[in-house]
Amino acid sequence: MILLQAEHISKAYGIETILQDISLQVQTGERVGLVGVNGAGKSTLMKILAGELSCDSGTIRKPKDVTIGYLAQDSGLESERTIWEELLSVFAHLQEEERELRRLEALMGDEQVLADEKRYRQIAESYAQLSEAFREHGGYSYEASIRGVLSGLRFSALDVDTPIHTLSGGQKTRLALGKLLLQSPDLLLLDEPTNYLDIETLSWLEQYLLGYKGAVLVVSHDRYFLDKLVTVIYEIERAKATRYVGNYSQYLEQKAAQIEQAQQQYERQQEEIARLEDFIARNIARASTTRRAQSRRKLLDKMERLEKPMTQTKAAHFRFAIARASGNDVLKVEQLRIGYPDHPLAQNISFTIEREERVALVGPNGIGK
């Protein structure tokens, strides 16, 4: 089943074309990656698919009963509620069903209802139906689901009664992601969801999305994340989209093969053009061969010229020159204490960095990196 289909989407800002004739689709259960260089139009396309931005031309199609959840890049959750209250609001419908179950239970224990066999049977049947629906919708596990998401996104150490407006920007972004996961829409549109995630949280998100019942369309620059998660790649390049089946590494292999094939076709055509032009130049003025030369010219005029393949996109290059080499000891830290006056983050930190070393600083969010 196709959950979302975009057909011939175009978008421009002034004279600059961002997207041109973009078509893509997401089917039930698919994990789709959307890739491209910065400024290629990925976030613009995601906003159009989510209904937050209009396109200049084209059509977005989705079944009426399909639900879509969208997480914009660096979109933090803003709320006056506490963490627990905000996430619990996702399950307001289950809380209402739970209150109705308690009401029916009270009625079934009422003496007047017990004395009326017909009424009791009607209430008991309503209770059984509602109880089954409540169970199927996760009514007995939604609080555990909230705790699981909070733990996976590393909120365990934080009091769930903490007001959201007191959280950092990164925490608000993670909480927005958590709320969206709990809402469990049929299709998740995630724009750079790995921002502000440490290694452990990223690993948890990978596993969560792999087991997610709905479909996922994700924008990410993290090739390892895409390798583990997606099975389809759409690349936006020069305002157009190309579909590849496979993960990110397989997409790179397919694209390299396509470029090589296109380059070979281009070179063969250039050789043919040169051969025809040479024949025309040598024979057009001779009476005995002018007809053949004219025939070659018509052939050349009708030929559909191939564009030269773009073998690689432009990239920035940096070079840091040094006046002289440093000593062997570049940085030495002894017994460092970091944090705030009433809240130390870490202490007794000692390390040395030597010349030509490449050092990674890792650890969970909020630990003081």
Side-chain angles (χ1 to χ4, degrees), residues 259-275 303 305-309 311:
I259 290 174
E260 183 179 358
Q261 184 180 28
Q263 182 67 28
Q264 291 173 353
Q265 291 174 345
Y266 173 79
E267 290 173 356
R268 283 197 296 268
Q269 188 184 66
Q270 289 299 303
E271 290 174 0
E272 176 66 8
I273 290 171
R275 187 180 65 80
M303 183 181 293
R305 304 291 181 103
L306 299 175
E307 291 185 10
K308 185 175 183 180
T311 55

Side-chain angles (χ1 to χ4, degrees), residues 77 82-88 91 142-162 164 167 171-172 174-179 181-182 197-198 200-201 204 208 365:
L77 187 62
T82 66
I83 292 174
W84 185 258
E85 288 170 345
E86 186 66 33
L87 297 188
L88 195 62
F91 303 101
Y142 67 84
E143 289 194 2
S145 296
I146 293 174
R147 292 191 180 93
V149 167
L150 286 174
S151 174
L153 293 174
R154 302 190 70 82
F155 282 98
S156 299
L158 205 60
D159 190 338
V160 293
D161 292 325
T162 301
I164 291 174
L167 301 178
Q171 288 173 322
K172 289 178 180 178
R174 283 188 284 134
L175 199 61
L177 172 60
K179 183 178 180 180
L181 295 177
L182 289 170
L197 300 187
D198 55 44
E200 291 183 14
T201 311
W204 174 85
Y208 191 98
N365 288 329

